[in-house]
Amino acid sequence: MRVNLYADDNLAAYGFPEGHPFGIDRQGAFLREADEWGLLARASSQGSREALRDEITRFHSAGYLELVSTAEERGLSLLDAGDTPVFPGVYRTSAHVVGAALDGLARIMDGQCLRTLQPIGGLHHAGRDHAAGFCVFNDMGVVVETLRREYDIHRVAYLDIDVHHGDGVFYAFEDDPDLIFADIHQDSRTLYPGTGREDETGKGRAEGTKLNIELPPFSGDAEFMEAWPRIEAHFEKFKPEFFVFQCGADGLRGDPLAQLRYSPAVHAHATQRMVMLADTFAEGRIMAFGGGGYDRTNLARAWSAVLAELIGNNTQAG
């Protein structure tokens, strides 16, 4: 059993300038912590590649791809209404985030590993035709579409524990009965993007395949653990063939952009249980993505907890 960890200079470059909370120091903060935990020697380190345009347009519209690819030469300062600035190399760097995800998917599907972690990834706010919330390309959306088109795997589980609702994934697949969605996040009335109400359960044939759980501001580990059995029951009901896990660290106590009060124990528990579910239903196949997290100590500890649980006791480095 092997876990692939995706981290390189191209991925580290995904970030925004001038003191933006999503800075280019996030990957380094995590790697230093993971090394102190002794985890880097137990995972197989992998680099990224630049995703092809035809790969990115499995999820995104051609028009949006053209906008991102020409943003710098056109002198654009923003890709959306104000949340997602254009930064140097924005297209190429964002394509590397997608390419890393696709490389991890390919290695899982050809049996080189069972699990992956991409700390600079999980860009869950980007929609099919727009950027949003610091997210340029939705790497996980591309993974879901690739599973369907290239590997004939249709029933995919998506879990999101980021403090913000994964709206880019939710609305892209809101009417898709085979995308089994569960998202636990801060109350939609109190936090960006203002979506993910508990009565949003999917549309048409997909009604009931989507689970949104809202926690009041200042909720912590106890509230998360109390809600967790609903998530497991949701996935057990639909028996997914593949698991995608967005493990944003911005729900930890002290994050500057939100008001939940988790400890890293939340991330350890969620990962441990997701691995169990993947082993039960999906031949162990699970991909984890870092997502948000804007306190560097918090994200380093949370993602190290995720990596530790992905590795487990028997995993050997490749």
Side-chain angles (χ1 to χ4, degrees):
M1 189 181 302
R2 184 164 63 180
V3 175
N4 281 6
L5 170 65
Y6 284 83
D8 65 14
D9 290 344
N10 289 308
L11 295 170
Y14 187 94
F16 305 94
E18 300 176 0
H20 192 283
F22 203 126
I24 61 172
D25 60 332
R26 297 166 81 247
Q27 177 181 275
F30 159 68
L31 291 176
R32 288 188 293 275
E33 183 77 9
D35 192 38
E36 289 186 12
W37 288 34
L39 298 173
L40 299 187
R42 301 178 62 202
S44 179
S45 179
Q46 302 291 334
S48 61
R49 66 169 177 86
E50 184 175 341
L52 302 175
R53 287 178 176 247
D54 287 349
E55 292 173 327
I56 299 171
T57 54
R58 291 171 186 165
F59 179 83
H60 289 290
S61 70
Y64 176 58
L65 191 75
E66 180 68 13
L67 170 70
V68 178
S69 66
T70 61
E72 287 185 89
E73 64 186 73
R74 293 166 58 191
L76 299 182
S77 59
L78 292 166
L79 292 172
D80 56 14
D83 295 317
T84 313
V86 175
F87 59 89
V90 61
Y91 174 80
R92 180 178 180 276
T93 300
S94 301
H96 269 271
V97 174
V98 176
L102 292 177
D103 186 84
L105 175 60
R107 290 175 186 271
I108 288 175
M109 296 309 298
D110 70 13
Q112 292 186 47
C113 64
L114 276 183
R115 306 166 190 164
T116 64
L117 173 62
Q118 186 173 321
I120 305 302
L123 304 180
H124 62 167
H125 294 307
R128 292 191 185 272
D129 61 358
H130 64 272
F134 315 158
C135 302
V136 178
F137 292 143
N138 195 318
D139 47 333
M140 298 176 299
V142 176
V143 164
V144 173
E145 295 291 8
T146 301
L147 279 164
R148 274 86 180 272
R149 299 186 192 191
E150 300 297 319
Y151 299 105
D152 199 31
I153 288 180
H154 295 271
R155 197 164 56 257
V156 179
Y158 174 86
L159 173 65
D160 195 320
I161 65 171
D162 193 288
V163 77
H164 304 94
H165 181 239
D167 56 329
V169 176
F170 181 85
Y171 293 110
F173 297 100
E174 188 177 17
D175 60 355
D176 184 331
D178 286 325
L179 195 284
I180 313 305
F181 180 98
D183 192 312
I184 182 168
H185 51 273
Q186 186 171 320
D187 189 330
S188 62
R189 296 168 296 180
T190 64
L191 195 67
Y192 178 92
T195 59
R197 300 187 316 274
E198 296 205 1
D199 62 358
E200 294 185 89
T201 61
K203 288 186 174 180
R205 294 189 305 119
E207 184 175 354
T209 63
K210 313 295 186 274
L211 174 67
N212 284 297
I213 299 175
E214 300 183 88
L215 297 180
F218 312 115
S219 296
D221 291 17
E223 290 81 3
F224 182 94
M225 299 300 183
E226 182 178 1
W228 179 260
R230 295 173 57 192
I231 294 172
E232 285 199 30
H234 185 66
F235 289 138
E236 288 169 350
K237 177 180 178 182
F238 293 102
K239 300 177 174 57
E241 302 168 275
F242 196 98
F243 281 76
V244 175
F245 177 27
Q246 204 273 17
C247 49
D250 40 10
L252 270 68
R253 179 188 295 269
D255 189 274
L257 300 188
Q259 294 83 43
L260 295 187
R261 295 178 171 177
Y262 298 158
S263 78
V266 158
H267 286 67
H269 179 78
T271 308
Q272 181 187 69
R273 301 305 294 175
M274 284 289 282
V275 166
M276 181 275 296
L277 289 167
D279 287 346
T280 301
F281 298 113
E283 301 178 17
R285 300 177 298 207
I286 181 171
M287 298 184 72
F289 298 83
Y294 307 102
D295 178 283
R296 303 311 191 248
T297 299
N298 280 351
L299 69 83
R301 294 171 63 208
W303 295 343
S304 292
V306 170
L307 182 56
E309 293 296 336
L310 290 174
I311 291 171
N313 292 324
N314 299 313
T315 302
Q316 296 180 353

